[in-house]
């Protein structure tokens, strides 16, 4: 079967990543409806879809191919979004993980731009590189999603190119169509420098919140 993803809880100053469960449903339903203006190219469940969304993520987790998280704001103690490790790849040994993707990510509008995304990515990157020993972490988004591409670039991932007709489109009115996906990555060689930059960035957000 290869490497089985089991994502532990991860905690920072701004965000806590908790393994996703139905206990998060009510808060995620609220978060998903706060302001949906930034979700044009990202599928985010509506409030009445959250229970089914969690069921689907837990079913994927049972396969060992996905480790889903709720993103918990340290400032409020409430769930403000979700993210996941997924698509584990082992090329050299079935017992070791060589690459993994971070995906299924969304944040409520009020949580965007607060440092939650930066620290969540920091925590996920750190676990992947320093605990699992991966050589590569990758991230993908709709090639048209300028907001998402900027957010991914801001946490240190490098743009690699566009995979055409790569996956399902989540854009309104594009049901049954495929999207082009912009691919980004961070490698183990790049991680030490990126770690320092992310720690400095998260510290700036944390100081801003303390003012």
């Amino acid at each position: 079967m290869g490497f089985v993803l089991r994502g532990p809880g991860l905690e920072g100053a701004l965000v806590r990543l908790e393994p996703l469960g139905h206990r998060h449903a009510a808060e995620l339903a609220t978060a998903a409806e706060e302001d949906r203006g930034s979700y044009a190219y990202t599928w985010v469940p509506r409030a009445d879809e959250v229970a089914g969304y969690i069921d689907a993520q837990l079913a994927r987790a049972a396969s060992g191919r996905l480790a889903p998280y709720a993103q918990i704001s340290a400032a409020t103690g409430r769930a403000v979004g979700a993210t996941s490790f997924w698509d584990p790849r082992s090329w050299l040994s079935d017992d070791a993980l060589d690459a993994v993707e971070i995906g299924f990510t969304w944040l409520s509008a009020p949580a965007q731009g607060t440092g939650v995304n930066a620290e969540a990515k920091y925590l996920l990157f750190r676990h992947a590189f320093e605990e699992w020993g991966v050589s590569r972490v990758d991230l993908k988004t709709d090639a048209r999603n300028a907001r998402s591409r900027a957010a991914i670039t801001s946490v240190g991932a490098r743009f690699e190119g566009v995979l055409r007709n790569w996956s399902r489109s989540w854009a309104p009115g594009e049901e049954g169509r495929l999207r082009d996906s912009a691919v980004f990555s961070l490698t183990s060689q790049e991680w030490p420098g990126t770690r320092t930059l992310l720690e400095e960035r998260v510290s700036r957000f944390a100081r801003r919140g303390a003012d």
Side-chain angles (χ1 to χ4, degrees), residues 48-59:
D48 61 358
E49 296 172 326
V50 166
Y53 163 79
I54 293 175
D55 283 338
Q57 293 296 74
L58 295 180

Side-chain angles (χ1 to χ4, degrees), residues 131-198:
E131 299 300 325
W132 286 336
V134 303
S135 294
R136 167 191 174 91
V137 175
D138 38 77
L139 308 95
K140 299 186 185 77
T141 189
D142 190 306
R144 300 166 294 179
N145 194 338
R147 180 192 295 265
S148 179
R149 290 178 67 154
I152 293 171
T153 300
S154 74
V155 296
R158 297 191 181 185
F159 175 63
E160 293 188 330
V162 173
L163 298 174
R164 297 180 297 166
N165 289 347
W166 181 252
S167 64
R168 175 179 178 177
S169 174
W170 297 109
E174 294 187 359
E175 293 78 7
R177 294 176 57 182
L178 298 175
R179 76 178 196 190
D180 294 347
S181 292
V183 183
F184 298 77
S185 71
L186 186 67
T187 68
S188 55
Q189 293 90 343
E190 296 162 347
W191 168 238
T194 301
R195 173 176 178 154
T196 298
L197 292 175
L198 278 176

Side-chain angles (χ1 to χ4, degrees), residues 48-105:
D48 61 358
E49 296 172 326
V50 166
Y53 163 79
I54 293 175
D55 283 338
Q57 293 296 74
L58 295 180
R60 294 183 181 101
S63 74
R65 302 285 299 171
L66 181 135
Y69 289 99
Q71 302 195 64
I72 312 297
S73 166
T76 66
R78 299 179 63 83
V80 294
T83 192
S84 295
F85 284 121
W86 75 295
D87 192 20
R89 280 150 285 155
S90 300
W91 297 306
L92 302 179
S93 167
D94 285 343
D95 298 324
L97 188 64
D98 295 308
V100 71
E101 185 165 342
I102 295 172
F104 293 95
T105 300

